Amino acid sequence: MADDPTGAERACFEAGIKFGSLYHQFAGTPVSPASAASLETAIEEAIENQPHCEAVRVDILREELADALEDSSADYTELTGRFLEVEIDVDYEGRTVHTRMEMDDGYPLMRIVSVRRTNR
């Protein structure tokens, strides 16, 4: 049989599940500049527990966070997509999908960056 797309399609599906879980589990979490690093680690470790997840990289954008707090009487705000850049790698049946979430025109978009065959 020629190249069977099932592994690639399933890897992409699995990445979507990871992003849905990440975004909807952590959106609304209180975050401050002081807690950003520990929240990044918590998110990464939580999502990496899921099946087929190879790597998660979460960056809470400190400058955007500080800007949001500039005119606030509070020292924290709610985590939203505007404060996040995320990359997730999923491996399924010899296919690795690399995905990224970042803001695009005011909306957090999750994209497939690449799908490649792995040597497993």
Side-chain angles (χ1 to χ4, degrees):
M1 179 177 221
D3 192 26
D4 183 0
T6 304
E9 289 173 0
R10 181 66 187 265
C12 291
F13 173 79
E14 289 291 336
I17 295 298
K18 281 33 165 185
F19 269 119
S21 174
L22 182 150
Y23 195 83
H24 293 291
Q25 180 176 352
F26 291 99
T29 299
V31 63
S32 70
S35 68
S38 62
L39 184 55
E40 287 169 341
T41 300
I43 294 169
E44 289 170 354
E45 290 179 357
I47 301 306
E48 284 175 348
N49 284 323
Q50 295 184 40
H52 314 294
C53 194
E54 292 294 312
V56 179
R57 289 163 299 286
V58 176
D59 289 315
I60 296 177
L61 305 174
R62 308 306 198 276
E63 190 170 309
E64 285 82 348
L65 190 60
D67 289 347
L69 295 172
E70 193 170 285
D71 295 325
S72 174
S73 61
D75 59 355
Y76 73 95
T77 189
E78 293 181 359
L79 186 66
T80 67
R82 76 183 242 213
F83 302 120
L84 289 171
E85 287 183 356
V86 179
E87 294 184 19
I88 298 176
D89 295 334
V90 170
D91 185 75
Y92 186 86
E93 291 184 353
R95 299 289 197 285
T96 297
V97 61
H98 177 69
T99 58
R100 179 177 297 135
M101 181 184 83
E102 55 194 2
M103 294 300 287
D104 186 358
D105 199 25
Y107 188 80
L109 289 181
M110 297 142 195
R111 294 188 169 102
I112 297 168
V113 175
S114 66
V115 179
R116 62 183 170 78
R117 187 182 301 271
T118 55
N119 297 328
R120 292 190 184 213

